[in-house]
Amino acid sequence: MSVYDTVVGQAAAVAQLSRAASPEGSLAQAWLIAGPPGSGRSSIARAFAASLLCDHPVGGQGCGECQPCRTVLAGTHGDVTVVRTETLTISKNEVRELVATAQRAPSSGRHRVLIIEDADRMSPGTFNVLLKAIEEPPPRTVWMLCVPSPQDLAQTILSRCRVVNLQVPPPEAVAALLIDRDGISPELAHRAAASAQGHIGIARRYGLNPDSLAEREDSARKLLALTSVGHAIAFAKTLIERAESEAHAEADEASSREREAFMRGAGIEPGGRIPPALRAQVKALDDEAKRRATRLVRDVIDRYLLDIHSVLRDVLALQLETDASLVNPGIERELAERTRVHSPHTTLALLEAVGVARERVGMNVPPQLALEALLAAIVAAR
């Protein structure tokens, strides 16, 4: 058994980290773990942290069974601190607290490990707060910054980190994980893994909730069947409403858990009156919930745009008669019909239009306008 057993399709990265954690290896004090969404950045960072604190490491890998390994993976080890954000940015105050934590010696293990998930969500000013701590870390401190790409991090920080590049896990490996770990049927597991495009979390959701996969495939059929600008605008509105509903449901669930934990910690009974001294903290929780919902809406819309990209990619693969596996095998008939509508050159132009739409959403263009423009372009190509 190893702490890396649930890390999928990252053999080169696991080998690199195992060498560094072994007695004869060279352990850097600052690491940059870069990989696309769903590639397992935070999972491999936690596994690496467990390997550094394991009581019985073998070949630079944690055993996965000792108390340090189990508590690191469960998120309860006192020497491992993880900062994540469900909002648009990681604040300076959060990073200042993390820097202060980094100055303390480990309480029980060999190292103090600090993991920043979504480190690309730090502003330039926040990067400056972190820079000195990365430049001159205490002797037994190890930093791990997780980002989609090395280019998402300030050069001053990047130059001080050892980079670990993750790959998009192959669908076959993701499907095998769903079959072995979650007991999902092979046919559904392979369909879910292909549709998720290597995103392990989304593949698992599709596998455990086939209705969500069916909804995705139904949306793909509607995309391919659009025949007018009016239909495109209506479809964009539907997608935005669905994204908002999905994002707010997830945000509300997370906020409810946080609020309940706060009230319980403050000794306030459910439905009880909040003392005036605590109202500012409750308001801060509510404000955080609003920021979380804003970020989640954008994340869901970006995922929808990637789904549109995958449909057009499949059309192009069929037009060029490549041997590439389809991302959307459940709608192969509709994809084949679309290949006769326009040329491969036009399909390439539409794929570029998806990239433009993603950039616009990232630059705070109203998502509905970006979607409407993209879907209108797809209609115009008919």
Side-chain angles (χ1 to χ4, degrees):
M1 184 175 178
S2 163
V3 290
Y4 292 108
D5 284 350
T6 58
V7 174
V8 179
Q10 307 297 346
V14 170
Q16 179 184 357
L17 294 172
S18 299
R19 285 195 300 272
S22 65
E24 63 275 10
S26 173
L27 179 63
Q29 287 190 264
W31 292 83
L32 180 70
I33 300 177
S39 58
R41 297 188 302 252
S42 59
S43 295
I44 204 167
R46 290 172 186 270
F48 185 33
S51 297
L52 296 177
L53 297 170
C54 178
D55 284 339
H56 312 290
V58 178
Q61 296 188 14
C63 66
E65 298 178 348
C66 66
Q67 184 181 17
C69 280
R70 287 187 283 107
T71 53
V72 170
L73 297 179
T76 58
H77 196 292
D79 290 331
V80 178
T81 304
V82 180
V83 168
R84 66 178 65 83
T85 182
E86 294 177 330
T87 60
L88 296 176
T89 59
I90 296 175
S91 70
K92 287 184 181 180
N93 286 339
E94 289 177 290
V95 175
R96 287 192 182 103
E97 290 177 7
L98 196 62
V99 170
T101 300
Q103 302 306 311
R104 298 199 296 267
S107 59
S108 60
R110 296 185 299 278
H111 301 278
R112 179 169 292 281
V113 182
L114 304 111
I115 301 172
I116 303 181
E117 298 181 4
D118 297 320
D120 55 305
R121 295 185 182 269
M122 290 188 288
S123 67
T126 307
F127 279 131
N128 291 335
V129 173
L130 181 63
L131 180 58
K132 187 171 180 59
I134 294 286
E135 285 180 324
E136 302 173 5
R140 293 192 288 165
T141 296
V142 178
W143 289 89
M144 300 181 198
L145 313 181
C146 302
V147 294
S149 165
Q151 287 69 42
D152 293 319
L153 208 60
Q155 183 60 38
T156 51
I157 299 286
L158 177 60
S159 63
R160 290 160 175 81
C161 297
R162 188 177 298 177
V163 179
V164 178
N165 287 303
L166 306 186
Q167 308 298 319
V168 176
E172 298 78 13
V174 177
L177 179 68
L178 298 181
I179 294 167
D180 295 340
R181 186 181 67 184
D182 300 304
I184 296 169
S185 70
E187 187 278 332
L188 177 57
H190 283 92
R191 210 168 103 230
S195 297
Q197 302 178 73
H199 194 300
I200 298 169
I202 293 176
R204 188 166 186 265
R205 187 176 70 191
Y206 287 157
L208 296 175
N209 182 13
D211 287 346
S212 63
L213 178 57
E215 182 179 60
R216 180 191 188 280
E217 293 175 346
D218 181 62
S219 293
R221 292 188 185 94
K222 290 177 179 176
L223 171 73
L224 294 172
L226 292 175
T227 57
S228 71
V229 173
H231 289 158
I233 292 174
F235 188 47
K237 184 173 184 292
T238 298
L239 290 178
I240 293 295
E241 289 174 348
R242 186 187 302 166
E244 290 176 344
S245 176
E246 180 179 338
H248 283 290
E250 185 175 340
D252 289 346
E253 182 180 349
S255 298
S256 178
R257 288 196 304 268
E258 289 180 357
R259 193 182 181 97
E260 287 176 6
F262 174 80
M263 301 288 270
R264 188 168 54 248
I268 302 172
E269 295 294 329
R273 179 176 175 274
I274 300 172
L278 297 180
R279 287 173 187 168
Q281 292 171 268
V282 173
K283 184 180 184 301
L285 286 175
D286 292 340
D287 291 342
E288 181 78 3
K290 292 176 183 176
R291 290 191 291 269
R292 178 188 294 117
T294 299
R295 174 194 164 178
L296 286 173
V297 168
R298 293 186 186 181
D299 288 350
V300 173
I301 290 169
D302 189 63
R303 192 174 78 238
Y304 288 175
L305 289 169
L306 288 174
D307 288 344
I308 293 173
H309 189 279
S310 75
V311 171
L312 294 169
R313 173 265 183 204
D314 282 352
V315 171
L316 184 63
L318 292 174
Q319 286 175 323
L320 299 179
E321 299 181 351
T322 70
D323 295 329
S325 300
L326 295 180
V327 175
N328 303 277
I331 59 165
E332 186 170 2
R333 179 177 61 81
E334 292 85 351
L335 292 168
E337 291 173 358
R338 183 73 185 198
T339 62
R340 298 187 287 272
V341 172
H342 48 69
S343 68
H345 179 78
T346 300
T347 307
L348 277 171
L350 293 176
L351 285 167
E352 292 178 0
V354 176
V356 171
R358 293 185 69 199
E359 288 178 4
R360 287 173 174 169
V361 172
M363 295 170 62
N364 293 325
V365 171
Q368 184 158 343
L369 293 180
L371 263 177
E372 287 175 355
L374 171 62
L375 297 178
I378 292 174
V379 168
R382 293 189 70 87

